[in-house]
Amino acid sequence: MAKRIVESFLDDIDGSDAEGTTRFSLDGTNYEIDLSGSNREKLERALAPFITKARAVRADRGARGRRAGAVSSRAVSREKSTEIRRWAKAQGLPVSERGRIASTVVEQYEAAH
């Protein structure tokens, strides 16, 4: 018996098919979001006035270190993510079905356990 498993990415904004993952940073925090071509263009247009006036900076991990009070960006296992999502839903907290879990939700989970 043959089996075909298809993994597809959905646009995190509108749920349409995403063309890829877009990464960006702001104030030392790195973000990534799955976007369709049109939503990526919207993001690029929105940022264009700022990017044209900004200076590109090479990432230098060693010199900066961590920001004070920054939450650890350690990866959460799939099993723990499922457990956190289940707990958050039971607490009435907003949590997505997939993707990264908000650090505030993870912090609340860890404080409760």
Side-chain angles (χ1 to χ4, degrees), residues 54-92:
R55 295 175 298 280
V57 179
R58 186 180 68 117
D60 186 15
R61 292 180 162 267
R64 285 191 176 188
R66 289 200 165 274
R67 293 184 323 175
V71 175
S72 172
S73 61
R74 67 186 179 273
V76 177
S77 72
R78 183 178 304 241
E79 293 81 17
K80 187 164 184 178
S81 293
T82 302
E83 184 178 327
I84 293 171
R85 281 187 171 82
R86 192 174 299 128
W87 175 85
K89 288 177 186 176
Q91 302 303 310

Side-chain angles (χ1 to χ4, degrees), residues 9 17 19-20 37 42 48-49 52 69 76-77 79 95 97 99 101-102 105:
F9 290 92
D17 288 337
E19 291 183 10
K42 286 179 189 177
T52 59
V76 177
S77 72
E79 293 81 17
V95 64
E97 291 297 322
I101 301 172
V105 174

Side-chain angles (χ1 to χ4, degrees), residues 8-69:
S8 62
F9 290 92
L10 299 178
D11 186 298
D12 291 325
I13 300 296
D14 62 16
S16 64
D17 288 337
E19 291 183 10
T21 300
T22 300
R23 292 178 179 89
F24 60 97
S25 297
L26 181 63
D27 293 336
T29 301
N30 298 320
Y31 299 92
E32 62 180 37
I33 187 169
D34 298 331
L35 295 174
S36 63
S38 63
N39 279 334
R40 166 127 182 169
E41 288 174 12
K42 286 179 189 177
L43 176 64
E44 290 172 350
R45 280 194 305 271
L47 293 176
F50 303 97
I51 292 173
T52 59
K53 301 292 183 182
R55 295 175 298 280
V57 179
R58 186 180 68 117
D60 186 15
R61 292 180 162 267
R64 285 191 176 188
R66 289 200 165 274
R67 293 184 323 175

